[in-house]
Amino acid sequence: MKMKRILLFAAVVSVLAACSKETPSVHDISLSVSEEGGGDLTGRDFSVYVVAKKASSAENLSSDRLYDGVLAENNGGTLLFPETPAYDAGRPYCDFYVFSPYQENLVPAGCPSAEIRVEQDQSEGLDASDILFGKTVNFIRRENDPNVVLGHLFSRLDFVIETSNPVGAFDWITMKNVVLGGVYDAEDCYFSPSPFTGDVKSCGQFVLSDDGLLRGVSVIIPPQELAAGDFATIMIGGEEHSLKLDQNLVLEAGKVAEISFSVTAELNPELRVDVSVRDWENETMDFTLGKLLPPGNTVTDIDGNEYPVVKIGSQYWMGSNLRTTKLNDGTDIYRVESLDEWPVTDKEAYTVYELDFENNPDRWGLLYNRMCVEYEKLCPEGWHVPTTTDWDMLGMSQGGVPDEASCIANVTEDLKSTDGWLGCPGTNETGFDGYPVGYLFSYISGYNGDTPVYFSGFAYNGETAGWWSTSGYWAESVFVRAFVYHSYDMDRYSVPSLNAFPVRCVSDYVD
């Protein structure tokens, strides 16, 4: 047993390049989405349908789908998507269909149409009733990525009051007996209203604007023709009053109809209603598909240190090494300022590379002893030190396959930092920013009587980025996962538990 441990340690010191397998590259597709006329899409989510085809041809959303209404979310200009669709050389053409907000099974299998409708009570907000749709078809990937322009499928009505008594209690508007929804054909881009009607309550409250008019109340309804006569009611001082149209009003998708009317000093609305129609004006926002973020763009440890968060595959990772000096229950971690104190085996401890606390960059993080990772109190709540399985999932997200030793070939180019490496630098396309800070090693160099004498030092700065794993081998020898300077492999090493390595936390949440 003793000889086996020595052999394992020797393998670590030589920094084995155990992986040599090649893995196929994945051709990512980025999807740019913007709203017709511009639009603030912050906080919106999307239903995304993708159909892959062998050749440029007619749309067939009823056929098999590469993506069938998956949920995609917007977070700070990034489209949150379960995974990036792989380029299929056998079916290079793709049709993209995007609806917002997300609705499960919005376009059922074998059907090109979606049933859409507005909320009848819109007093809490308009987003759920503002249905957006866009598509791009017969797209084939070359140098660019597809763009989908979203348009409003319904109409918006803005109400404006002219009154000599602006302090009156003007409340909500209720549209009376209007069409609530219908069926939208995503291939023909045609809306068929349903026969079902009902009342729809408005959103917002009337506020005096700079032009002396009361504004701020709106409602969204599907395209339809409102007949002349009573079409809505307004609550004024707790009493309901009717609003009337002099002639029929045709409401079109993507248009805003401004409904103006006057109210006398006695707080009775006059019958006169003026209508003006304009395009639905908004702002523009772009999205990228593939680079994904978790709940929140950053995570903060108990010391107040903030870390970027990146989604890679189905996992959420910190985008830099941990640098907390406390466990997440508030317990201080012992600070080691001299190699004479190392190794520390009776309590949680940390240090920095070459003991240079004054010039240790944040991205390098701290070097932690094994006890720090054993009791699941090092990472922030909701996060943990990765297991071997977590590391394998990271490698597989880059197209790799673990071998019997959990070594994964040719997967770290997009995980490595762009700088700091003596060879084989990365692109950091994933945002993982694996930087080769090196580590602290320690082993028994002899004995003073029965007392072991340790030799400790720092090594492999610029050559190795290694991180603790919670998975162990036996008490004296445990696993770390490492990137190296001479390849793009992800290696797993068995190392003495006396060493100190950086920590990279991964979220408990997995999509």
Side-chain angles (χ1 to χ4, degrees), residues 51-345:
V51 176
K53 304 184 295 186
K54 293 182 178 179
S56 177
S57 60
E59 298 174 57
N60 189 6
L61 188 52
S62 302
S63 66
D64 292 339
R65 299 162 181 172
L66 181 62
Y67 281 105
D68 191 12
V70 296
L71 169 65
E73 299 178 336
N74 163 32
N75 189 330
T78 299
L79 189 63
L80 306 191
F81 206 76
E83 59 184 275
T84 303
Y87 177 84
D88 186 342
R91 297 188 299 166
Y93 289 84
C94 284
D95 296 342
F96 293 81
Y97 303 83
V98 181
F99 287 84
S100 181
Y102 170 80
Q103 180 179 320
E104 185 177 0
N105 199 31
L106 181 61
V107 184
C111 173
S113 301
E115 290 191 13
I116 55 177
R117 59 174 292 153
V118 296
E119 299 283 332
Q120 289 191 251
D121 184 355
Q122 298 177 13
S123 59
E124 295 300 316
L126 298 176
D127 285 351
S129 298
D130 183 15
I131 309 297
L132 303 176
F133 171 74
K135 67 180 179 179
T136 185
V137 299
N138 290 320
F139 176 84
I140 184 168
R141 181 175 175 82
R142 298 198 190 282
E143 296 297 327
N144 300 317
D145 294 310
N147 176 263
V148 175
V149 178
L150 303 177
H152 301 272
L153 298 187
F154 292 156
S155 302
R156 193 181 86 210
L157 284 74
D158 292 346
F159 294 90
V160 180
I161 301 176
E162 180 183 356
T163 178
S164 58
N165 186 7
V167 296
F170 299 94
D171 295 311
W172 63 87
I173 300 282
T174 301
M175 302 294 299
K176 307 297 289 187
N177 196 34
V178 295
V179 173
L180 300 175
V183 176
Y184 186 80
D185 189 313
E187 293 178 356
D188 294 334
C189 297
Y190 182 80
F191 176 75
S192 301
S194 71
F196 302 106
T197 61
D199 296 348
V200 178
K201 185 178 179 180
S202 65
C203 172
Q205 59 183 5
F206 286 106
V207 177
L208 188 64
S209 61
D210 293 338
D211 58 6
L213 302 176
L214 297 177
R215 302 177 182 272
V217 172
S218 300
V219 67
I220 292 176
I221 60 175
Q224 58 193 282
E225 184 173 2
L226 302 180
D230 293 349
F231 76 101
T233 61
I234 180 173
M235 296 297 295
I236 303 176
E239 294 183 5
E240 185 175 88
H241 300 267
S242 294
L243 298 176
K244 296 185 179 183
L245 291 170
D246 292 337
Q247 56 187 8
N248 291 359
L249 173 61
V250 177
L251 300 175
E252 299 178 62
K255 300 290 185 179
V256 177
E258 188 172 276
I259 311 295
S260 303
F261 56 95
S262 299
V263 176
T264 65
E266 292 76 28
L267 299 183
N268 292 315
E270 295 180 348
L271 298 180
R272 179 178 61 83
V273 171
D274 294 329
V275 180
S276 62
V277 178
R278 68 179 188 274
D279 289 332
W280 200 322
E281 297 177 356
N282 301 291
E283 300 175 1
T284 300
M285 180 175 287
D286 292 329
F287 299 85
T288 301
L289 176 146
K291 184 178 179 182
L292 311 175
L293 300 178
N297 294 339
T298 61
V299 62
T300 303
D301 66 27
I302 194 169
D303 274 341
N305 300 308
E306 191 172 76
Y307 307 86
V309 176
V310 292
K311 186 178 181 191
I312 307 173
S314 61
Q315 299 170 294
Y316 296 105
W317 290 83
M318 285 184 174
S320 60
N321 292 341
L322 192 68
R323 53 186 189 274
T324 182
T325 62
K326 296 183 178 66
L327 302 180
N328 61 28
D329 63 2
T331 302
D332 288 330
I333 304 173
Y334 180 68
R335 172 168 160 159
V336 175
E337 299 183 2
S338 169
L339 286 181
D340 293 338
E341 298 183 77
W342 202 270
V344 179
T345 59

